[in-house]
């Protein structure tokens, strides 16, 4: 998901401003930035295809599609993906 820099949902972390689509996502990031910014040591991470946040492979929010398991930062993003996977999975329109 692309979020405009003027979004009111913003968190300062690691010397940069992180912008979010909602207060919920900003709060989730604030609670555990390393889970989402890729800085947690020794953990491989994936990008949530809906919002772009970094997600640990042990995230409980998953959707199987096109022969792979997609990981999400929240149930909300997983639900959006499941409703329209082609919008987010990079397949040709």
């Amino acid at each position: 998901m692309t979020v405009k820099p003027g979004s009111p949902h913003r968190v300062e972390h690691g010397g940069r401003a992180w912008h979010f689509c909602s207060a919920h996502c900003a709060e989730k990031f604030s609670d555990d930035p390393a889970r989402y910014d890729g800085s947690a040591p020794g953990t491989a991470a994936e990008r949530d295809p809906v919002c772009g946040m970094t997600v640990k492979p042990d995230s409980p929010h998953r959707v199987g599609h096109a022969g792979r398991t997609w990981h999400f930062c929240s149930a909300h993003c997983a639900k959006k993906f499941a409703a329209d996977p082609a919008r987010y999975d990079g397949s040709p329109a």
Side-chain angles (χ1 to χ4, degrees):
M1 171 180 288
T2 302
V3 179
K4 293 182 180 178
S7 170
H9 311 293
R10 165 186 171 133
V11 175
E12 297 288 332
H13 169 72
R16 94 174 239 215
W18 297 76
H19 301 272
F20 300 90
C21 61
S22 68
H24 172 76
C25 287
E27 183 178 321
K28 214 170 162 172
F29 179 87
S30 290
D31 289 344
D32 188 6
R35 178 175 180 182
Y36 303 105
D37 72 359
S39 67
T43 57
E46 293 192 29
R47 290 253 175 237
D48 180 321
V50 175
C51 70
M53 291 179 80
T54 303
V55 183
K56 290 182 182 177
D58 65 351
S59 171
H61 311 292
R62 304 169 187 217
V63 173
H65 169 70
R68 72 173 268 202
T69 300
W70 299 79
H71 297 84
F72 302 89
C73 69
S74 67
H76 174 76
C77 283
K79 184 177 178 181
K80 283 181 81 170
F81 180 89
D84 188 5
R87 179 174 178 187
Y88 303 105
D89 70 0
S91 62

